Amino acid sequence: MRLLKLFVLPLCAAVALSAPLTSATATGAVAQAAQAAAKPPPVPLLWRVSDADNAVFLLGSFHLLRADDYPLSDDIQRAFAGSEKLVFEVAPDEMFDPSVGQRFLERARYQDGRTLSQTLPADLREKLNRVLAKNGRSLSQVDSLEPWFVNLSLVLGVSQSLGFSSQLGLDQYLMRQAAEAGKGASGLESMDHQLDVMDASPADEQIKALREFLDRPTEVPDMLEEMHTAWREADLAKLDEKARVEMQQKTPQTYRIVNVERNEAWVPQIQKLLDEQKKGDTLVVVGSLHLLGNDGLVERLRAKGYKIERICSACATGTADLAPMPPAALPPAPPVKLTPDDARESKKAEPRH
């Protein structure tokens, strides 16, 4: 399901800004979202790319997480502590610009006079109406919105009912930590470019992705949990199969726009961090899918001749590129703070007896 891939893609604007339309499809999965037992930290998707002078750490993000996904691993905390600056998909000041919400909705609306009702086949209109009706909404209320936005909103509704929060996503968490530590933070692209990418998916692929959701709405919670578990366990094979390969095969033009073209644009920027900066390391945080496969940043930078090392204390001996993390001062892990909205969502997700 293509929209689930956005949680491991660098489209953090989407999960941070779009409001869910419904959470009805989550059904009984809500009770499973809150787990009393403490979990070990997620296994990091972390690589060190280096030349003779300095290094860039590439960290694969998941854009919606739960409070029990923290604290982060010591590997990530050391990479953070040892880096002079951080680079995200979009700079924090752009990410949290108050005008972004309105700009986001402008991209989501049809600009040529069409409506969602005119665009969707009859059977898909009926299925969407049924899903919306369960939450007291109707197709007429979303008729000005394009299929990609409606699909995204539906998926986000499910994710929130499962206890996931964009404010707890790895990107936003590290943005806050960088600000508190006084570290510089910049972006690989502008917010407007990221919003344009969201809106650039071909219409037929948008409809195809929405159909995947509406044909199997009750399966979405399990699919999201599976994707999250693969990220937590750094299961590269499953992430590649369920995210990158599936997206490439089912929606190839969207894959090219969202993944390939942006990787191509980012590689020269990462090279500059290595070639033009003679000292000081940088932590680059991008959607996990951007690190996978031959199209990914890891293999593209390997092909440029840089030294590639996997930083993963929890990984088994024999893991490809595995290297020890150099010692560094390890600060205590800061507490994960929930906003009032997050606290309310977590309360909703508690199992009822």
Side-chain angles (χ1 to χ4, degrees):
M1 187 166 292
R2 185 177 69 83
L3 263 294
L4 293 182
K5 284 44 166 197
L6 295 184
F7 299 146
V8 290
L9 276 168
L11 296 171
C12 52
V15 296
L17 297 172
S18 57
L21 294 175
T22 175
S23 59
T25 55
T27 60
V30 174
Q32 302 172 4
Q35 299 186 17
K39 295 180 179 180
V43 180
L45 291 167
L46 181 65
W47 282 262
R48 180 172 58 210
V49 183
S50 58
D51 58 12
D53 303 307
N54 65 332
V56 166
F57 292 96
L58 297 177
L59 176 60
S61 175
F62 203 86
H63 296 310
L64 296 104
L65 292 175
R66 299 177 175 127
D68 62 4
D69 287 316
Y70 295 89
L72 299 175
S73 70
D74 287 353
D75 292 330
I76 295 178
Q77 292 190 55
R78 288 193 177 97
F80 177 88
S83 295
E84 291 188 354
K85 60 183 178 181
L86 281 78
V87 178
F88 299 93
E89 304 124 15
V90 173
D93 58 344
E94 282 200 76
M95 178 76 175
F96 302 116
D97 186 326
S99 71
V100 171
Q102 182 59 40
R103 286 148 56 197
F104 189 86
L105 287 174
E106 287 172 0
R107 302 304 201 289
R109 294 189 181 101
Y110 284 103
Q111 303 297 323
D112 56 5
R114 289 183 298 160
T115 65
L116 189 63
S117 299
Q118 295 170 344
T119 303
L120 296 181
D123 69 313
L124 212 54
R125 290 199 301 271
E126 293 177 7
K127 291 178 180 179
L128 178 58
N129 246 331
R130 286 199 295 268
V131 169
L132 294 173
K134 291 179 181 179
N135 291 264
R137 305 186 68 129
S138 67
L139 182 57
S140 62
Q141 292 175 290
V142 300
D143 213 22
S144 65
L145 302 173
E146 296 184 38
W148 67 264
F149 182 86
V150 174
N151 192 9
L152 175 64
S153 297
L154 292 169
V155 173
L156 286 172
V158 176
S159 72
Q160 288 188 6
S161 70
L162 294 172
F164 290 97
S165 166
S166 62
Q167 292 193 17
L168 293 174
L170 190 57
D171 314 80
Q172 291 199 35
Y173 175 83
L174 289 174
M175 285 179 182
R176 293 192 296 271
Q177 299 313 310
E180 291 179 10
K183 294 179 183 284
S186 60
L188 291 165
E189 63 190 7
S190 70
M191 177 59 77
D192 281 330
H193 179 72
Q194 190 162 109
L195 295 175
D196 287 341
V197 167
M198 291 295 300
D199 193 33
S201 178
D204 61 330
E205 293 190 358
Q206 291 185 39
I207 294 171
K208 183 176 183 179
L210 180 58
R211 181 178 291 281
E212 283 189 72
F213 182 103
L214 294 174
D215 283 348
R216 300 179 292 166
T218 60
E219 297 178 24
V220 175
D222 287 341
M223 295 170 67
L224 179 54
E225 293 285 7
E226 182 181 24
M227 191 80 68
H228 174 243
T229 298
W231 177 82
R232 275 193 61 92
E233 297 176 354
D235 188 335
L236 297 181
K238 180 169 286 187
L239 279 175
D240 193 51
E241 175 192 355
K242 297 295 184 180
R244 190 187 67 82
V245 173
E246 185 175 301
M247 187 178 186
Q248 184 181 37
Q249 292 175 346
K250 291 185 176 181
T251 52
Q253 292 304 312
T254 301
Y255 176 79
R256 176 183 58 79
I257 295 167
V258 170
N259 193 45
V260 177
E261 291 182 359
R262 300 172 77 206
N263 285 348
E264 290 173 348
W266 292 353
V267 165
Q269 298 183 60
I270 296 171
Q271 284 187 269
K272 282 187 175 182
L273 295 172
L274 291 163
D275 299 345
E276 298 182 6
Q277 187 172 305
K278 296 305 180 184
K279 63 178 181 178
D281 295 341
T282 303
L283 176 58
V284 176
V285 185
V286 297
S288 297
L289 187 144
H290 278 271
L291 305 181
L292 304 176
N294 291 330
D295 289 332
L297 297 176
V298 173
E299 293 307 316
R300 287 175 180 271
L301 289 165
R302 191 195 305 275
K304 299 288 185 182
Y306 296 103
K307 183 179 181 180
I308 304 292
E309 298 168 286
R310 177 80 186 276
I311 306 301
C312 181
S313 299
C315 291
T317 302
T319 299
D321 301 322
L322 191 63
M325 185 70 184
L330 184 60
V336 178
K337 300 176 182 177
L338 292 175
T339 66
D341 287 342
D342 290 323
R344 284 193 290 272
E345 291 299 330
S346 296
K347 187 68 175 175
K348 291 177 186 177
E350 291 178 1
R352 309 242 178 218
H353 300 286

